[in-house]
């Protein structure tokens, strides 16, 4: 198969075309190019619908098709679900304010919305047909990540007459495990089996201007991981690939510590590489690596704000209850940083809220009282926002608060602004808009989980630690390792221990 055969299949009259698209093989180019071609065919008032799974991907599609204006509609599949739910909220048993309902319900709200919309489109109500009349061509990006209900929504549109073009890569399915993962993989296989055309992209375009040899190697290792073999680090390594032997000596889960000899070359790489993505398999190790480099390299938070969404939901539910709001604020601090623990601050804060700051205090207790009084004065998101700002002020001015450290700096910065709008619904709407419209810019050097790096393309990356604890031999970790290997287009480094290397690596 080739780029030309994929382009031909996409432009054919086939009802359903499935394209397996390994990372860096030109999927976005092919999808955007086909969207441009398809838009010319459409009648007035019709649009090509491009559905991605991340806002970052939507931004890339938008930048590549900016001149097409109203001929395309680009969004996440979650945004399509939310739009349908807003229009048909009565039929779905939902309130009209879907953004506020979504943030109040938390992260799982999107799966619940998808379930209800899927059921609606499966009914003979004409809703699916109405969507297809407006969007007769549907392009799906990263479809390997679709849930059962998201997949069902696309299938409902296909049955209603939509011409579907589905891109995905089963080797990049890193967000599910167990039975859910097995079902996801089975759906992809069934989708390929019923497709009218099935193609594979196989040219390593991402590495063309960086290290073509690295790109060819990455595609070779993808195939090895796919069939159950290990990544081969024994043969001659391609240009752009380095392997450091380094034993993590930290006894703590998630910790990372090297002796001086092992640390020296890794520090040199980090210091001398202007744009670097430091990758690690688990959240706990992100914090360990952050400490390893003295908190000088920020954490990549991605494009969602889960801790802030939970806080805003708690503010909406517990309006007028200062104690519940104080507990929600303490949980928020625990999620975005270290040091604001129950024993150090939280218990005393709750006590002050329960007693309404009745006892005069001095020193640190008085400073905690100053936080509690802001929530007592306005037991809403406004008071909570003011209290978060007061903590931020004390972190800079008081020796009693200088042990608090914020790891998720962008999320904390946004929390400091929630008191700017007097109505909670305004804040919720702003959060929903930002979730859908703004892509945070990644710092030049950043630490990230492999999960949050998915979809990113950077010049240089290092993956560590590549040990048997972090990369156990299972299907999900095979995909996780492949995603990590395929991010960097110029140089890639792996830190592999001597004593317990991952069984997914042959060294």
């Amino acid at each position: 198969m080739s780029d030309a055969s994929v382009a031909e299949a996409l432009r054919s009259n086939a009802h359903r075309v499935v394209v397996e698209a390994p990372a860096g093989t030109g999927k976005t180019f092919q999808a955007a190019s086909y969207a441009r071609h398809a838009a010319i065919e459409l009648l007035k008032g019709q649009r090509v619908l491009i559905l991605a799974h991340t806002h970052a991907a939507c931004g890339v599609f938008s930048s590549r098709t900016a001149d097409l204006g109203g001929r395309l509609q680009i969004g996440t599949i979650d945004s399509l679900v939310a739009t349908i739910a807003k229009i048909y909220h009565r039929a779905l048993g939902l309130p009209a304010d879907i953004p506020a309902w979504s943030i109040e319900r938390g992260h799982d709200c999107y799966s619940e919305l998808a379930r209800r919309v899927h059921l609606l489109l499966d009914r003979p109500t004409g809703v699916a047909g109405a969507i297809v009349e407006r969007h007769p061509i549907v392009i799906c990006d990263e479809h390997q990540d679709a849930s059962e209900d998201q997949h069902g929504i696309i299938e409902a549109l296909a049955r209603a007459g939509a011409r579907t073009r589905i891109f995905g890569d089963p080797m990049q399915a890193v967000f599910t495990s167990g039975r859910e993962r097995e079902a996801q993989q089975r759906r992809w296989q069934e989708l390929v089996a019923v497709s009218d055309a099935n193609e594979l992209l196989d040219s390593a375009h991402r590495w063309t201007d960086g290290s073509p040899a690295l790109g060819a190697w990455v595609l070779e290792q993808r195939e090895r991981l796919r069939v159950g073999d290990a990544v081969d680090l024994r043969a001659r390594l391609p240009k752009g690939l380095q392997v450091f032997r380094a034993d993590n000596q930290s006894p703590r889960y998630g910790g990372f510590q090297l002796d001086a000899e092992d640390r020296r070359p890794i520090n040199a790489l980090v210091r001398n590489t202007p744009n670097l993505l430091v990758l690690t398999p688990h959240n706990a190790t992100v914090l360990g690596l952050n400490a390893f480099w003295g908190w000088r390299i920020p954490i990549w938070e991605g494009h969602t704000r889960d801790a802030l969404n939970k806080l805003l939901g708690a503010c909406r539910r517990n309006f007028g209850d200062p104690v519940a709001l104080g507990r929600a604020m303490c949980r928020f601090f625990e999620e975005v940083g270290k040091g604001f623990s129950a024993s150090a601050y939280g218990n005393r804060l709750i006590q002050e809220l329960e007693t309404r700051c009745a006892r005069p205090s001095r020193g640190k207790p008085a400073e905690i009282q100053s936080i509690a009084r802001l929530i007592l004065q306005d037991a809403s998101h406004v008071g909570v926002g003011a209290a978060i700002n007061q903590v931020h002020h004390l972190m800079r001015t008081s020796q009693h608060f200088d042990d608090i450290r914020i790891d998720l700096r962008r999320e904390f910065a946004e929390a400091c602004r929630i008191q700017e709008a007097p109505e909670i619904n305004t804040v919720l709407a702003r959060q929903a808009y930002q979730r859908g419209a703004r892509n945070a810019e990644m710092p030049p050097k950043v630490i990230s989980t492999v999960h949050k790096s998915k979809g990113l393309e950077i010049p240089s990356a290092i993956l560590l630690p590549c040990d048997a604890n972090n990369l156990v031999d299972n299907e999900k970790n095979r995909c996780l390792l492949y995603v990590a290997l395929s991010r960097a287009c110029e140089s890639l480094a792996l830190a592999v221990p001597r004593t317990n290397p991952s069984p997914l690596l042959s060294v």
Side-chain angles (χ1 to χ4, degrees):
M1 297 181 183
S2 66
D3 291 346
S5 68
V6 171
E8 183 180 355
L10 292 172
R11 287 159 177 76
S12 70
N13 292 323
H15 183 66
R16 182 190 281 108
V17 177
V18 176
V19 179
E20 186 169 328
T25 57
K27 171 203 65 179
T28 306
F29 172 82
Q30 289 279 1
S33 178
Y34 169 67
R36 182 179 300 279
H37 168 82
I40 299 173
E41 300 180 11
L42 299 183
L43 301 174
K44 185 177 181 180
Q46 293 182 319
R47 291 181 176 183
V48 175
L49 179 60
I50 299 179
L51 297 175
H53 278 268
T54 67
H55 301 298
C58 292
V60 173
F61 278 116
S62 295
S63 66
R64 296 197 183 188
T65 57
D67 60 307
L68 293 178
R71 295 187 178 186
L72 299 183
Q73 177 147 345
I74 302 170
T76 64
I77 192 164
D78 280 341
S79 67
L80 172 68
V81 167
T83 299
I84 296 172
K86 183 175 182 178
I87 296 171
Y88 298 100
H89 66 93
R90 290 182 180 176
L92 297 173
L94 294 168
D97 192 346
I98 296 298
W101 179 88
S102 298
I103 291 181
E104 184 175 348
R105 290 287 297 265
H107 183 70
D108 289 342
C109 72
Y110 290 98
S111 59
E112 174 62 17
L113 281 180
R115 185 187 70 81
R116 297 192 190 200
V117 170
H118 178 197
L119 291 174
L120 175 67
L121 296 186
D122 271 349
R123 299 175 200 155
T125 57
V127 175
I131 296 171
V132 172
E133 179 64 27
R134 176 69 168 162
H135 304 291
I137 296 174
V138 180
I139 299 172
C140 299
D141 180 48
E142 300 285 356
H143 196 68
Q144 79 280 345
D145 291 331
S147 68
E148 180 180 2
D149 289 307
Q150 289 172 337
H151 176 72
I153 289 168
I154 301 305
E155 287 296 286
L157 297 179
R159 289 194 300 272
R163 193 187 307 174
T164 57
R165 300 294 186 260
I166 298 175
F167 293 82
D169 180 10
M171 285 300 295
Q172 294 187 68
V174 297
F175 297 113
T176 56
S177 57
R179 292 183 179 179
E180 184 180 359
R181 179 181 180 80
E182 293 174 3
Q184 197 176 53
Q185 297 288 313
R186 186 168 57 251
R187 285 195 299 273
W188 179 263
Q189 293 169 1
E190 292 170 353
L191 182 62
V192 169
V194 301
S195 65
D196 300 303
N198 176 31
E199 295 284 332
L200 170 69
L201 287 167
D202 57 6
S203 297
H205 295 291
R206 172 173 292 170
W207 296 267
T208 299
D209 297 326
S211 173
L214 177 61
W217 181 85
V218 168
L219 289 183
E220 289 173 8
Q221 305 317 307
R222 176 185 184 272
E223 181 61 18
R224 291 181 64 88
L225 289 167
R226 189 185 69 81
V227 300
D229 290 338
V231 169
D232 188 3
L233 299 175
R234 298 166 299 179
R236 183 178 179 182
L237 300 181
K239 180 182 178 181
L241 178 63
Q242 286 182 279
V243 176
F244 298 109
R245 304 310 299 269
D247 292 310
N248 180 12
Q249 299 180 348
S250 174
R252 181 175 56 85
Y253 171 72
F256 191 74
Q257 183 179 340
L258 303 178
D259 64 28
E261 185 176 350
D262 286 348
R263 179 170 187 155
R264 193 174 299 111
I266 294 175
N267 274 353
L269 172 76
V270 172
R271 182 174 59 252
N272 298 326
T273 307
N275 295 97
L276 181 68
L277 180 60
V278 179
L279 292 171
T280 195
H282 302 298
N283 280 315
T285 319
V286 167
L287 300 176
L289 290 171
N290 195 24
F292 177 74
W293 279 296
W295 300 281
R296 293 187 299 271
I297 304 178
I299 295 171
W300 171 239
E301 302 171 47
H303 301 293
T304 59
R305 300 287 178 264
D306 292 337
L308 181 54
N309 286 347
K310 292 176 188 175
L311 177 64
L312 290 172
C315 288
R316 184 183 176 98
R317 290 190 301 273
N318 298 298
F319 177 83
D321 185 342
V323 175
L325 293 175
R327 291 195 173 102
M329 190 187 80
C330 291
R331 289 193 295 271
F332 173 78
F333 272 102
E334 289 173 0
E335 290 195 50
V336 300
K338 298 292 182 184
F340 198 93
S341 63
S343 58
Y345 302 95
N347 292 340
R348 181 58 186 250
L349 175 66
I350 299 305
Q351 179 185 333
E352 295 294 346
L353 290 169
E354 289 174 338
T355 61
R356 305 191 68 81
C357 299
R359 296 177 57 184
S361 299
R362 300 175 63 183
K364 179 179 176 180
E367 291 172 336
I368 294 176
Q369 274 190 347
S370 73
I371 301 167
R373 285 195 180 96
L374 294 169
I375 300 177
L376 290 168
Q377 289 168 9
D378 192 336
S380 71
H381 72 284
V382 175
V384 171
I388 292 172
N389 273 283
Q390 176 66 358
V391 174
H392 192 203
H393 170 72
L394 292 169
M395 286 168 58
R396 295 173 304 203
T397 60
S398 170
Q399 62 179 356
H400 302 126
F401 283 72
D402 58 10
D403 287 337
I404 299 173
R405 187 182 73 251
I406 301 300
D407 294 319
L408 305 185
R409 303 172 192 175
R410 193 178 300 273
E411 188 148 6
F412 180 73
E414 292 186 12
C416 288
R417 297 180 54 211
I418 64 174
Q419 83 279 12
E420 293 176 2
E423 295 295 329
I424 183 67
N425 285 344
T426 304
V427 182
L428 295 173
R430 183 176 67 190
Q431 280 298 113
Y433 171 78
Q434 290 174 343
R435 187 179 192 272
R438 190 192 64 204
N439 293 322
E441 193 170 319
M442 193 167 69
K445 293 181 184 179
V446 71
I447 303 170
S448 173
T449 61
V450 178
H451 293 84
K452 287 188 176 180
S453 76
K454 190 169 173 294
L456 297 178
E457 177 181 333
I458 65 278
S460 303
I462 180 171
L463 174 65
L464 71 172
C466 299
D467 58 36
N469 298 323
N470 280 274
L471 288 170
V472 179
D473 187 357
N474 58 39
E475 290 301 317
K476 181 178 180 179
N477 281 336
R478 287 177 174 276
C479 295
L480 203 66
L481 178 56
Y482 166 63
V483 168
L485 297 179
S486 58
R487 295 307 94 198
C489 57
E490 295 179 8
S491 64
L492 171 68
L494 307 176
V496 183
R498 302 174 186 85
T499 53
N500 65 330
S502 168
L504 297 178
L505 304 171
S506 292
V507 290

